[in-house]
Amino acid sequence: MSEEEYRTVLATLKEEAIYPYTEDEMQVVKSVESCINCGLCIQHCPVVAAVGLDSFSGPRSIAVELSRSPPEYWTTADVVYLCTGCGTCREVCPKDVDIPEIVNLIRARIFKHRPDLVPKQLHAADAIIVEHGLAFVPWEDPEEKVESRNMRLERLGLRYVPDQVVKGADVLFYPGCQAEERAQEVKESAKIILDHFKAKFTLLEEMNCCGLPATLLGDDKTALELALRLKKKVKDLGVKMLVTTCAGCTSNLARIAERDAWGIPVYHMLEFLVEEIGIAKLSSAFKQSTEEEPLRVTLHDPCHLIKHTSRITMDYAGQILSLIPDVEVTHSFAHDSCCGGGGLVSYHAGDVARAVMKENLAAIEETGASRVVTPCPLCTAQLEDSLFRQGSSVEVDDMTVFIAQRLPQKG
Amino acid sequence: MAKYDVVVIGGGSTGTAVARDCAMRGLKILLLERDDIASATTGACAGMISSGLKYMDEPNIVDMCSDEVVNFKRIARHVMEKNPIITPLLEMSDISSGGNFAEEYSKRAETRDVPPVLFLTPEDSLKIEPTLNPDLIASIYFEEYFISPFALCMLQALDAKQHGADIKTYCEVTDILTKKGSITGVQYFNRITDKMESAKTRAIVNAAGPWAHKIAALAGAKLELRLNKGAHVILDRRVVNVGVIAKAIEGRMIYLFPHENTVLLGTTALDTWEDPDTLVASQDEIEYLLKSMEWVVPSIRDARIIRTMEGVRPLIPTWKIPEGDVTRGYEVIDHEPEGVSGLISFAGGKLVMCRHMAEAATDLVCKNFGIEAECRTHIEPLPGNSDDVDILALAKEYGVSQHTVERMRARRGTEIVMILELTRDHPEWKTTICTCEPVIEAELRYAIRATFPQTLNDLRRRIRLGTGPCQGTFCTFKAATILAEELELSGADFQLEIVDFLAERWKGKRQSIRGEQIAQEELAQGIYACVGNLDQALERLDYDLKPWEEVL
Ligand SMILES: Cc1cc2nc3c(=O)[nH]c(=O)nc-3n(C[C@H](O)[C@H](O)[C@H](O)COP(=O)(O)OP(=O)(O)OC[C@H]3O[C@@H](n4cnc5c(N)ncnc54)[C@H](O)[C@@H]3O)c2cc1C
Ligand code: SF4
Ligand code: SF4
């Protein structure tokens, strides 16, 4: 058949808004197929709880209604961009229905075929990713970046461990875009920890985004390209494992590393500490507290760890905190709840993201803790922003920073 | 006693088309349907308004069908969709079955605004439809239009009504009155009022589908039909991107067609003498379809089947040839020569031909009456097809989700504005009642008020209530409450309505139940029997088990 004939077919597909599923996608569709409309997920979806079914028809509707017919995907744009991708629905679902994945699939269709219906803030975000290979516009002046870093180190009382790129190192530390460009203290803290435990680590020569934001906004092409670029860098460095401090990166890197056969494991820093360094070493690592009162800390669970990777990571978080002298952990009843920052919702629907966060804030205040700790710089930023707006006195720390601060300073 | 020019018997695609045509030509019409509009054969068909796919060796029928497609595009575009269709060829011998199809199809393609038949390479075929068996050697590609059979019949009936026709559902014709060999009236049992009623008429058009011979017999006329049943298996969602046609185990062609938000796997063709009312798809039919489709779409057996449906084709009686060789044309039979003047019957036909059939019958009626009136059914749009609908703007204006508005549009076209207007006074009616489709309360209320349903099952035909993967698990109790309120049903009738609807859903579920649908059924049982206690209520309710509910 000629090129031209095939184009005729494609023209019809386009006109009738038929967007063929690929074979991989059929697996996702297959999972959604098993929904029995029990409604359990609706009771647990943080967005439904926050804004109500009239504004966000929820995971069940995504499974039994919105995802049934590709020609109608374009009409779902007012709903699917409000899902934070937290994965709560998938976890409570008795049929293992994979809502976050079908949401990504639908968003990718809309992005490709009806870009006019994608929130414009997401197009702006995409433009940055495409141009810079990073989720944020990088610092224009490298000196200013260094200055900002130094200020953060000073404020937090952290020492500086120089950046290093070492071929054949054991560990590749991957900070992710947030810790690279914005929350630099997280990247610095990770280096401190790795250095403290004498891990042979390296950074990337040039950082690039893991592709999660591109996936979430539907730009599959860019996401794939970033993933392949990263794979090449990882392979060139010849490391044995990858460690990151971002929850989103952890789940996404684990996914793409398996999909693209990287052949190395991906760890969150907490997993690395417990599984590679070991509790025994950790227990003697922390310096004695100089505080009079124990610090009351509560943990926030990043969805990308507990719902997309493994619940074990947060058990590790609890174990590690319990090793730190004079830290008292209180559990928040919203310990399982999304910060509202996922799924890029906060980019275009700040009111929804904030409404989701509200539940969390109330629960955090309830615990009486004076500090929230969470192993993700994105959750940290989201929580910090919300607590600040609310005029709360509760402080927020990224857990990597919290740990680094409690390791003895050395030269 | 009411007096009519023509009484139309049967509210399927044929009957509603006849009522519309007659009414548009100024005749005084009564349509009698013993159940609901599109409740029989029409409701079980695939809705393909085919260009003549299966009868390429009957060129005049192909011409007619092709023209009808063009007519439908003019009058009913809002309830239509176009499906690309792939016929994968697994071996060279599959090609011969193409026959002169490509040539005949392509000749008329342009008028329908579709490309000619194309041949696709295996690679391109798989790109379009990755579920195909990768061993295919090529595929044939063409495009066909589909229409929602329920919407078509409903719109024809409503349009007839707007042109002055009386449409009466749940009225079963029990006798035809004649005087000196001429039709004078009909007698019918009105199941709503529970009374025998009658009407005077000069003529009767017998559009009773597979029951047409029985209607003819009431007037002492003879009509023979070759009844042939066919089953569809319905999948929960669009698991294929495009339609797929395959050769079945004995060489017939079967298909997998995307249909609204589901996929239809069909169909069988078996000569039948069973009662069309209680027919259900058999295990053999389901297995025949799965086995046959499996060769070209290997994953088909893993798909989720939500139900089956079965219909009976009223074919023209040609015997001693396979069903596939029976003409797909139709006959309009004037029973005058037999001594029954004023009775006109149909044999054969298809959904795609219903307007054409109606035109022929109405021409004959007019000729017999000595009236000159031109047919306009192919020119004047059906209700709701007057304009494009701006989904995004309406969703925003009324604060209803875009998908809800789009699904509504696919049923009612421009008329959805009337539904959405209801939400101004009743914002609470934006609540979703059927979560699979979805259907909001305003649409349900509107359908009850404007389209004369008597039961939840009637609402299913109008707004697809309960047709999704959960098969009424979640909408039945909610919809029954609203129906009870609107129609002022008693408590017992409210409960009966629920049981009846669930029983009707069970009719299609029972034969194919497997996999996820068993879990789904457990949930439905949990809700209605355990929580709703309806199993206990049955005895009080004076409910007779339906034939398909009997425990084997
Ligand atoms: C499985 C299957 C698939 C098909 N697919 C297609 C397709 O894709 N495309 C296509 O063009 N055609 C298709 N057809 C054919 C098409 O469905 C029929 O030809 C057409 O629907 C017949 O419509 P009808 O109005 O004549 O009959 P029906 O729809 O059966 O209507 C007859 C009506 O008469 C009523 N009635 C009977 N007795 C009485 C009485 N005593 N008093 C009052 N009312 C009475 C019945 O209740 C019924 O509603 C298919 C058929 C089958 C079985
Ligand atoms: S992923 Fe989270 S936000 Fe999205 S539908 Fe599921 S529970 Fe709701
Ligand atoms: S919990 Fe799972 S099975 Fe139940 S409604 Fe939600 S997606 Fe469907």
Side-chain angles (χ1 to χ4, degrees):
Chain A
M1 187 187 64
S2 73
E3 272 290 304
E4 193 188 326
E5 285 181 337
Y6 185 55
R7 272 204 300 278
T8 313
V9 177
L10 293 185
T12 298
L13 294 179
K14 186 158 184 230
E15 187 192 329
E16 297 301 312
I18 297 167
Y19 318 134
Y21 291 128
T22 64
E23 218 169 323
D24 303 349
E25 288 171 334
M26 280 310 292
Q27 292 309 312
V28 182
V29 174
K30 190 87 217 135
S31 109
V32 194
E33 233 174 68
S34 57
C35 171
I36 53 168
N37 211 347
C38 72
L40 208 60
C41 52
I42 302 177
Q43 313 303 326
H44 293 264
C45 168
V47 180
V48 171
V51 302
L53 280 170
D54 286 343
S55 303
F56 178 66
S57 53
R60 168 175 78 180
S61 103
I62 293 171
V64 296
E65 173 203 336
L66 302 179
S67 62
R68 287 172 57 204
S69 173
E72 288 165 358
Y73 280 175
W74 66 275
T75 65
T76 70
D78 54 347
V79 177
V80 290
Y81 290 103
L82 296 181
C83 163
T84 66
C86 69
T88 310
C89 49
R90 181 175 57 197
E91 193 174 45
V92 300
C93 175
K95 306 296 296 175
D96 273 336
V97 169
D98 197 348
I99 303 287
E101 269 309 312
I102 197 86
V103 164
N104 288 345
L105 184 154
I106 294 175
R107 286 183 180 186
R109 289 297 195 289
I110 298 174
F111 186 87
K112 198 161 165 202
H113 302 281
R114 284 300 298 271
D116 56 313
L117 298 176
V118 177
K120 59 181 187 308
Q121 296 88 339
L122 296 188
H123 279 301
D126 187 56
I128 293 171
I129 301 171
V130 171
E131 185 181 344
H132 303 289
L134 288 172
F136 309 107
V137 179
W139 291 79
E140 211 168 286
D141 180 353
E143 304 249 323
E144 275 179 32
K145 183 177 178 185
V146 171
E147 227 167 85
S148 165
R149 181 196 72 200
N150 291 343
M151 270 166 57
R152 285 165 194 258
L153 290 176
E154 194 180 287
R155 178 167 56 80
L156 296 164
L158 296 170
R159 68 193 168 97
Y160 176 61
V161 175
D163 287 357
Q164 59 190 49
V165 178
V166 187
K167 271 201 175 202
D170 292 336
V171 174
L172 166 63
F173 171 63
Y174 179 83
C177 300
Q178 179 79 6
E180 175 68 31
E181 295 298 324
R182 298 194 164 176
Q184 290 191 69
E185 66 279 12
V186 178
K187 175 180 169 185
E188 295 308 315
S189 300
K191 287 189 292 175
I192 292 171
I193 295 171
L194 292 168
D195 180 68
H196 179 89
F197 291 106
K198 301 193 174 64
K200 289 192 196 118
F201 76 94
T202 176
L203 299 176
L204 290 173
E205 180 80 54
E206 187 205 24
M207 180 44 211
N208 78 249
C209 175
C210 70
L212 179 61
T215 301
L216 292 175
L217 64 83
D219 187 355
D220 276 358
K221 193 169 144 262
T222 302
L224 185 64
E225 199 197 304
L226 289 169
L228 295 180
R229 220 194 284 174
L230 199 53
K231 177 182 177 180
K232 183 164 185 314
K233 292 176 188 175
V234 170
K235 287 270 156 203
D236 286 351
L237 283 167
V239 290
K240 295 200 184 76
M241 67 188 76
L242 185 152
V243 173
T244 179
T245 43
C246 170
C249 297
T250 308
S251 78
N252 191 50
L253 290 169
R255 180 180 67 91
I256 60 178
E258 187 180 317
R259 181 194 67 192
D260 301 341
W262 287 14
I264 57 164
V266 171
Y267 289 129
H268 186 276
M269 178 60 87
L270 300 179
E271 292 172 285
F272 174 77
L273 286 176
V274 173
E275 293 176 17
E276 295 291 322
I277 303 298
I279 289 288
K281 254 198 204 164
L282 278 171
S283 55
S284 57
F286 294 107
K287 61 183 179 191
Q288 282 311 308
S289 164
T290 52
E291 306 288 328
E292 286 146 34
E293 294 267 314
L295 182 63
R296 294 194 74 181
V297 166
T298 190
L299 269 171
H300 167 81
D301 306 338
C303 301
H304 272 280
L305 290 181
I306 58 167
K307 313 234 169 77
H308 291 262
T309 313
S310 161
R311 285 215 164 248
I312 267 217
T313 324
M314 288 313 287
D315 291 350
Y316 290 166
Q319 280 178 37
I320 295 172
L321 286 181
S322 71
L323 297 176
I324 304 178
D326 291 330
V327 166
E328 188 185 305
V329 184
T330 53
H331 287 284
S332 152
F333 68 77
H335 62 87
D336 230 277
S337 177
C338 170
C339 71
L344 307 181
V345 174
S346 58
Y347 279 64
H348 62 94
D351 50 336
V352 174
R354 277 193 293 280
V356 171
M357 172 55 105
K358 233 169 118 185
E359 290 247 337
N360 251 298
L361 296 187
I364 289 169
E365 296 277 4
E366 190 97 332
T367 61
S370 58
R371 191 156 317 172
V372 192
V373 171
T374 186
C376 174
L378 275 163
C379 295
T380 304
Q382 189 74 8
L383 286 164
E384 217 161 31
D385 180 63
S386 306
L387 285 164
F388 178 74
R389 275 169 199 267
Q390 188 170 280
S392 165
S393 63
V394 180
E395 290 173 68
V396 191
D397 268 333
D398 180 279
M399 188 152 169
T400 307
V401 177
F402 192 83
I403 292 172
Q405 280 179 313
R406 282 156 185 80
L407 294 174
Q409 291 268 7
K410 56 174 184 182
Chain B
M1 197 194 296
K3 233 182 133 191
Y4 295 93
D5 292 321
V6 184
V7 167
V8 180
I9 303 174
S13 54
T14 318
T16 53
V18 173
R20 174 173 185 246
D21 197 343
C22 288
M24 281 172 76
R25 295 201 218 183
L27 297 172
K28 184 92 187 84
I29 299 301
L30 169 66
L31 182 144
L32 294 172
E33 163 57 54
R34 59 174 194 151
D35 196 296
D36 184 33
I37 300 298
S39 56
T41 319
T42 310
C45 89
M48 179 183 195
I49 42 175
S50 125
S51 59
L53 177 65
K54 276 193 180 168
Y55 23 97
M56 284 295 164
D57 36 7
E58 295 183 272
N60 40 0
I61 293 180
V62 183
D63 279 339
M64 181 225 295
C65 289
S66 198
D67 290 347
E68 283 308 304
V69 171
V70 177
N71 289 331
F72 277 126
K73 281 177 67 183
R74 192 180 307 118
I75 67 169
R77 188 67 181 104
H78 60 312
V79 289
M80 286 168 65
E81 53 188 324
K82 182 159 81 176
N83 274 326
I85 295 172
I86 281 190
T87 308
L89 308 170
L90 292 181
E91 47 208 1
M92 289 312 280
S93 64
D94 288 342
I95 293 179
S96 61
S97 64
N100 56 353
F101 165 69
E103 196 184 318
E104 290 291 332
Y105 176 99
S106 304
K107 245 194 268 176
R108 300 165 181 87
E110 214 178 308
T111 58
R112 293 196 310 278
D113 195 21
V114 294
V117 168
L118 304 174
F119 287 87
L120 304 189
T121 61
E123 296 74 37
D124 287 343
S125 312
L126 285 164
K127 254 187 266 167
I128 299 165
E129 190 47 71
T131 57
L132 294 180
N133 184 339
D135 295 338
L136 80 167
I137 51 174
S139 75
I140 301 173
Y141 171 95
F142 59 98
E143 298 173 6
E144 293 283 8
Y145 290 89
F146 290 73
I147 198 162
S148 158
F150 296 120
L152 173 64
C153 294
M154 203 58 224
L155 295 176
Q156 288 183 152
L158 289 173
D159 202 33
K161 227 175 152 193
Q162 277 165 23
H163 284 90
D166 288 335
I167 308 286
K168 290 196 171 185
T169 55
Y170 294 95
C171 287
E172 175 159 4
V173 173
T174 52
D175 204 2
I176 290 177
L177 312 172
T178 55
K179 201 169 170 188
K180 295 199 197 117
S182 290
I183 297 290
T184 58
V186 285
Q187 231 177 28
Y188 57 92
F189 179 66
N190 186 329
R191 285 156 67 184
I192 302 167
T193 59
D194 235 350
K195 287 200 180 75
M196 290 298 295
E197 295 171 12
S198 53
K200 285 190 179 160
T201 184
R202 298 158 69 194
I204 288 175
V205 175
N206 169 15
W211 295 271
H213 54 301
K214 294 192 174 165
I215 295 295
L218 293 177
K222 251 203 154 83
L223 181 72
E224 205 182 8
L225 297 172
R226 178 165 169 184
L227 298 185
N228 186 272
K229 66 176 178 179
H232 277 122
V233 167
I234 309 176
L235 308 181
D236 70 310
R237 59 184 62 227
R238 287 202 181 207
V239 290
V240 282
N241 304 304
V242 297
V244 178
I245 291 190
K247 215 175 198 181
I249 52 171
E250 85 294 39
R252 281 178 67 248
M253 300 311 263
I254 60 156
Y255 53 74
L256 204 53
F257 286 152
H259 175 79
E260 308 244 359
N261 36 22
T262 64
V263 168
L264 298 182
L265 169 61
T267 169
T268 53
L270 300 161
D271 289 303
T272 182
W273 289 265
E274 285 180 86
D275 177 2
D277 282 322
T278 54
L279 261 184
V280 290
S282 68
Q283 176 59 28
D284 279 351
E285 287 177 282
I286 298 168
E287 195 51 37
Y288 163 88
L289 291 170
L290 288 174
K291 171 81 189 153
S292 302
M293 190 48 74
E294 215 167 9
W295 280 312
V296 295
V297 180
S299 59
I300 197 64
R301 204 177 277 279
D302 302 330
R304 175 168 172 186
I305 299 175
I306 54 176
R307 64 186 290 110
T308 59
M309 58 182 183
E310 184 93 11
V312 177
R313 307 174 182 89
L315 302 181
I316 289 178
T318 349
W319 303 106
K320 301 192 179 174
I321 52 169
E323 162 273 340
D325 294 348
V326 177
T327 172
R328 281 308 191 257
Y330 67 87
E331 280 171 6
V332 178
I333 300 144
D334 191 338
H335 295 279
E336 154 100 78
E338 296 173 54
V340 187
S341 150
L343 178 66
I344 291 171
S345 296
F346 288 106
K350 297 208 68 146
L351 177 77
V352 58
M353 297 170 194
C354 68
R355 197 212 58 81
H356 198 275
M357 293 163 76
E359 182 175 347
T362 311
D363 282 349
L364 186 56
V365 169
C366 288
K367 191 176 134 240
N368 291 350
F369 287 174
I371 302 174
E372 267 187 46
E374 250 184 85
C375 176
R376 299 193 320 275
T377 52
H378 55 302
I379 300 165
E380 309 221 346
L382 283 165
N385 192 31
S386 49
D387 210 347
D388 285 343
V389 179
D390 187 341
I391 302 298
L392 301 179
L394 286 177
K396 205 161 173 194
E397 183 180 348
Y398 291 94
V400 174
S401 96
Q402 290 165 189
H403 188 248
T404 306
V405 178
E406 167 60 13
R407 292 304 301 156
M408 250 191 246
R409 183 212 58 76
R411 298 187 271 269
R412 304 293 305 220
T414 50
E415 303 212 313
I416 62 168
V417 174
M418 295 191 278
I419 299 169
L420 291 168
E421 271 299 307
L422 293 177
T423 64
R424 288 208 194 272
D425 284 343
H426 295 280
E428 73 281 8
W429 288 359
K430 293 179 193 169
T431 312
T432 304
I433 303 297
C434 164
T435 54
C436 299
E437 195 46 29
V439 177
I440 60 170
E441 183 166 346
E443 191 182 6
L444 201 76
R445 299 246 182 208
Y446 179 85
I448 297 172
R449 292 172 189 184
T451 61
F452 53 87
Q454 299 299 325
T455 67
L456 288 181
N457 201 20
D458 297 354
L459 281 166
R460 166 183 66 87
R461 298 184 189 99
R462 285 156 182 75
I463 56 182
R464 292 180 64 78
L465 182 82
T467 57
C470 92
Q471 288 290 297
T473 306
F474 265 90
C475 60
T476 305
F477 60 95
K478 292 183 272 180
T481 314
I482 295 164
L483 186 74
E485 187 184 301
E486 290 280 338
L487 301 186
E488 297 180 6
L489 300 184
S490 68
D493 281 347
F494 160 70
Q495 289 188 322
L496 265 176
E497 198 45 57
I498 295 178
V499 179
D500 269 336
F501 189 54
L502 294 173
E504 188 283 333
R505 294 286 82 190
W506 180 241
K507 181 182 182 184
K509 289 192 276 190
R510 179 178 184 173
Q511 316 305 317
S512 58
I513 200 157
R514 64 191 70 192
E516 302 307 342
Q517 223 53 25
I518 295 176
Q520 186 67 65
E521 196 54 31
E522 275 293 315
L523 190 58
Q525 294 287 331
I527 289 178
Y528 294 95
C530 303
V531 180
N533 241 356
L534 281 173
D535 53 341
Q536 298 302 315
L538 278 189
E539 280 169 39
R540 271 189 294 110
L541 285 177
D542 183 24
Y543 176 81
D544 293 328
L545 285 184
K546 309 274 190 292
W548 56 85
E549 286 184 289
E550 304 286 358
V551 180
L552 294 173

